[in-house]
């Protein structure tokens, strides 16, 4: 665990303007804490949330971006627009987007470049399906996702989130040994691709009651949290577990 763990909340398609009270509560509780918290709400809430937490340690991110800076792309948002709204980071390659929107590694690679162009820190998600893990293909899947997304990206700010698809929203998690093993694989592949020391976080059913065990695994620099980031109490409990693990 790094001395300043990265705890990212992914709100997915949840949240209305009234959720500002949740963000205000998180922001007040996290101010000055030795942790780097980022909440990624739906794009409709980025500007309101960014102004609610301005000047504090809680930062706001986005969940996706288009590869182009602007243009005829109805319904899409560019990285520049998200930065303009107050985002500092963007989740890319989440398995739900790979599945729901047929995002390939090549598409994700272009989005990573767009994030960098706009000054957003990219949070690249990788992870194997249940079938891949069962047939021994987990490591190959993750290495090929990293190669496909990062081979043509220059070194620079980057977070990689290891999110086994079968662990997302399921209540199931890999063992700490399995997490540590995959984080080591990711670190090795990143080094081969010339991406230097990069924060590698774990995601998939992180909850207050398993956070301590997950953060104790070797090579875990933080967490990407879905369901448990929607309310202040569980998210803050996870950040406290990360702070304790970093000591
Ligand atoms: P979960 O989601 O914590 O609800 O499993 C994690 C994610 O999809 O980023």
């Amino acid at each position: 665990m790094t001395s300043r763990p990265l705890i990212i909340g992914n709100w997915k398609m949840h949240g209305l303007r009234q959720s500002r009270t949740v963000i205000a509560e998180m922001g007040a509780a996290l101010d000055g804490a030795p942790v780097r918290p980022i909440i990624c709400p739906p794009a409709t809430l980025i500007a309101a949330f960014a102004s609610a937490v301005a000047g504090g340690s809680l930062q706001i991110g986005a969940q996706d971006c288009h590869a182009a800076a602007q243009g005829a792309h109805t319904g899409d948002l560019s990285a520049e627009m998200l930065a303009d709204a107050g985002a500092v980071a963007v989740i890319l390659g989440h398995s739900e987007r790979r599945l729901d929107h047929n995002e390939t590694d090549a598409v994700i690679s272009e989005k990573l470049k767009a994030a960098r162009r706009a000054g957003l820190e990219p949070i690249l998600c990788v992870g194997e399906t249940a079938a891949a893990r069962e047939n021994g293909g987990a490591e190959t899947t993750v290495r090929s996702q990293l190669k496909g997304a990062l081979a043509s990206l220059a070194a620079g700010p980057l977070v990689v989130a290891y999110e086994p698809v079968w662990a997302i929203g399921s209540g199931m998690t890999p063992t700490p040994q399995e997490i540590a093993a995959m984080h080591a694989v990711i670190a090795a592949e990143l080094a081969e691709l010339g991406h230097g020391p990069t924060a590698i976080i774990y995601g998939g059913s992180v909850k207050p009651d398993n956070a301590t065990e997950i953060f104790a695994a070797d090579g875990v620099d933080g967490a990407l949290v879905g369901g448990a980031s929607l309310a202040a109490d569980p998210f803050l409990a996870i950040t406290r577990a990360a702070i304790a693990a970093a000591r």
Side-chain angles (χ1 to χ4, degrees):
M1 179 65 82
T2 49
S3 57
R4 202 149 165 264
L6 184 57
I7 308 297
I8 303 175
N10 173 13
W11 276 26
K12 309 189 179 184
M13 200 169 71
H14 297 284
L16 300 171
R17 266 188 301 173
Q18 67 205 36
S19 320
R20 211 168 185 270
T21 55
V22 176
I23 285 300
E25 187 184 343
M26 288 177 179
L30 289 166
D31 239 0
V35 63
R36 192 174 162 219
I38 303 178
I39 291 287
C40 303
T44 48
L45 293 174
I46 290 172
F49 282 13
S51 81
V53 299
S57 20
L58 178 59
Q59 293 181 300
I60 303 302
Q63 298 175 16
D64 176 50
C65 70
H66 194 279
Q70 59 186 37
H73 302 289
T74 302
D76 282 317
L77 296 169
S78 70
E80 282 78 359
M81 291 166 177
L82 299 166
D84 185 51
V88 300
V90 59
I91 298 171
L92 294 172
H94 191 282
S95 62
E96 288 155 13
R97 292 207 59 87
R98 291 181 192 257
L99 199 68
D100 295 354
H101 299 271
N102 301 318
E103 284 193 12
T104 60
D105 292 327
V107 166
I108 294 160
S109 171
E110 292 310 304
K111 292 184 174 195
L112 282 156
K113 289 172 197 156
R116 287 274 187 75
R117 184 187 66 219
L120 296 179
E121 188 169 0
I123 303 156
L124 170 65
C125 300
V126 294
E128 79 284 0
T129 59
R133 178 153 287 268
E134 274 152 31
N135 67 27
E139 181 177 330
T140 318
T141 302
V142 167
R143 279 190 183 268
S144 110
Q145 288 172 336
L146 290 169
K147 273 196 200 83
L150 298 175
S152 61
L153 185 76
L158 176 69
V159 176
V160 174
Y162 170 49
E163 292 212 310
V165 179
W166 52 273
I168 295 172
S170 66
M172 294 187 292
T173 54
T175 64
Q177 294 73 20
E178 287 168 335
I179 294 174
M182 191 61 88
H183 280 227
V185 165
I186 292 169
E189 185 64 43
L190 287 170
E192 274 173 42
L193 292 167
H195 280 278
T198 298
I200 305 172
I201 62 177
Y202 169 79
S205 294
V206 178
K207 308 286 177 202
D209 63 2
N210 62 16
T212 298
E213 188 185 52
I214 289 169
F215 292 142
D218 275 348
V220 174
D221 297 318
L224 179 52
V225 185
S229 72
L230 292 171
D233 282 354
F235 187 71
L236 293 173
I238 291 167
T239 59
R240 282 193 298 273
I243 291 166
R247 282 208 182 101

